[in-house]
Amino acid sequence: HVQLVESGGGSVQAGGSLKLSCVVNGYRYRRYWMGWFRQAPGLEREGVASIASDGTTNYADSVKGRFTISRGNAGTKTVLYLQIDNLRPEDTAMYTCAMRTLVSGTPPLTSSSYTFWGQGTQVTVS
């Protein structure tokens, strides 16, 4: 059973940076897509960045140049990261990581493409 646990959110001033993390528990296969999504109050959930197990990345046009998705390991666990630079007030949202296993190809930014979801971490920019 796959569980995703995010951390790293917080309140920051515009122009600052944050690095979000998402630890994957319970998954040991090598083929997957992972993505970061965000949802602000009153708005639909938006895919901002995704990465496949082969390293292929995909970014929403609105975040290119400021957001960087990457992955690493913490012991035997996979960790997904999202580096956010030059934060803007419009970046304020709940950020959630998502995963789909046993897939290949360019990782999509559509919510319906993902199976497993974390609880989210709040980012507030003032």
Side-chain angles (χ1 to χ4, degrees), residues 77-126:
K77 297 180 180 180
T78 297
V79 184
L80 180 71
Y81 300 103
L82 185 68
Q83 176 71 39
I84 310 175
D85 297 317
N86 192 20
L87 277 156
R88 303 169 179 171
E90 54 264 38
D91 295 321
T92 295
M94 180 69 76
Y95 285 73
T96 305
C97 68
M99 187 176 199
R100 181 170 175 177
T101 60
L102 301 175
V103 288
S104 58
T106 300
L109 294 173
T110 50
S111 300
S112 59
S113 299
Y114 292 83
T115 309
F116 303 102
W117 293 83
Q119 294 300 307
T121 186
Q122 178 69 35
V123 172
T124 303
V125 186
S126 59

Side-chain angles (χ1 to χ4, degrees), residues 13-103:
Q13 292 188 338
S17 297
L18 280 175
K19 188 171 186 177
L20 309 183
S21 300
C22 172
V23 177
V24 181
N25 296 303
Y27 182 62
R28 298 183 180 181
Y29 296 96
R30 296 188 176 184
R31 288 193 297 130
Y32 57 80
W33 294 330
M34 292 196 72
W36 285 100
F37 293 78
R38 67 183 181 185
Q39 188 168 21
L43 298 179
E44 293 186 356
R45 184 159 55 191
E46 171 192 22
V48 295
S50 59
I51 188 167
S53 48
D54 66 358
T56 302
T57 58
N58 191 13
Y59 292 93
D61 288 341
S62 60
V63 306
K64 285 180 180 176
R66 298 191 301 119
F67 287 28
T68 304
I69 191 170
S70 63
R71 65 196 193 289
N73 295 300
T76 59
K77 297 180 180 180
T78 297
V79 184
L80 180 71
Y81 300 103
L82 185 68
Q83 176 71 39
I84 310 175
D85 297 317
N86 192 20
L87 277 156
R88 303 169 179 171
E90 54 264 38
D91 295 321
T92 295
M94 180 69 76
Y95 285 73
T96 305
C97 68
M99 187 176 199
R100 181 170 175 177
T101 60
L102 301 175
V103 288

